């Protein structure tokens, strides 16, 4: 049996073929018992794109609040998303959403659901 490895290492193309006989495979199986023989490469079947539940939850949060300041919105989205980076992405997404109006408040922007 033969193993073929193709890819790149930096700018260098790699195309390796390793030939193993039955004794080599048996020895390899003793060293790595969790390795299983695969008859054909695994093929990933495309799946339907899942609904972005976090985005829906962010919209629902703003819809229910009606109007909310930017820092308060970010805090609530951080609690919802679990981290600041995801919360900031949701704030940017809300800022550009057709159903959302962003006004300049006294100290921070105010997000208002208009949809």
């Amino acid at each position: 049996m033969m193993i073929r490895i193709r890819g790149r290492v930096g700018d260098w193309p790699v195309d390796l073929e390793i030939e193993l006989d039955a004794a080599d495979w048996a020895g390899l199986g003793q060293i790595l018992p969790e390795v299983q023989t695969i008859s054909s490469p695994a093929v990933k079947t495309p799946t339907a794109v899942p609904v972005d539940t976090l985005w829906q939850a962010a919209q629902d949060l703003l819809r229910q609040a009606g109007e909310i300041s930017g820092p308060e919105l970010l805090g609530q989205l951080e609690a919802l998303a679990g981290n600041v980076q995801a919360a900031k992405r949701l704030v940017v997404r809300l800022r550009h959403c057709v159903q959302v109006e962003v006004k300049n408040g006294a100290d921070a922007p105010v997000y208002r659901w208009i949809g």
Side-chain angles (χ1 to χ4, degrees):
M1 295 179 100
M2 192 174 336
I3 298 173
R4 187 168 190 181
I5 302 169
R6 287 190 268 179
R8 299 187 76 75
V9 176
D11 293 334
W12 296 86
V14 174
D15 190 357
L16 301 173
E17 291 182 5
I18 302 170
E19 190 169 340
L20 301 172
D21 61 15
D24 293 331
W25 280 110
L28 187 61
Q30 290 174 354
I31 296 170
L32 304 170
E34 67 274 2
V35 173
Q36 297 176 352
T37 304
I38 300 174
S39 60
S40 64
V43 176
K44 291 185 179 180
T45 56
T47 58
V49 177
V51 175
D52 190 348
T53 56
L54 193 56
W55 170 239
Q56 291 298 321
Q59 289 179 333
D60 292 342
L61 187 147
L62 185 56
R63 185 180 302 118
Q64 290 172 0
E67 187 172 285
I68 189 170
S69 72
E72 187 178 346
L73 177 63
L74 180 63
Q76 289 186 21
L77 290 175
E78 183 179 353
L80 182 69
N83 64 57
V84 171
Q85 293 82 10
K88 287 181 179 180
R89 284 192 294 271
L90 288 168
V91 168
V92 169
R93 204 166 167 186
L94 283 169
R95 178 181 293 274
H96 296 286
C97 182
V98 175
Q99 294 93 356
V100 176
E101 178 182 69
V102 182
K103 301 184 296 185
N104 290 329
D107 297 324
V110 176
Y111 290 77
R112 184 167 69 102
W113 185 263
I114 59 172

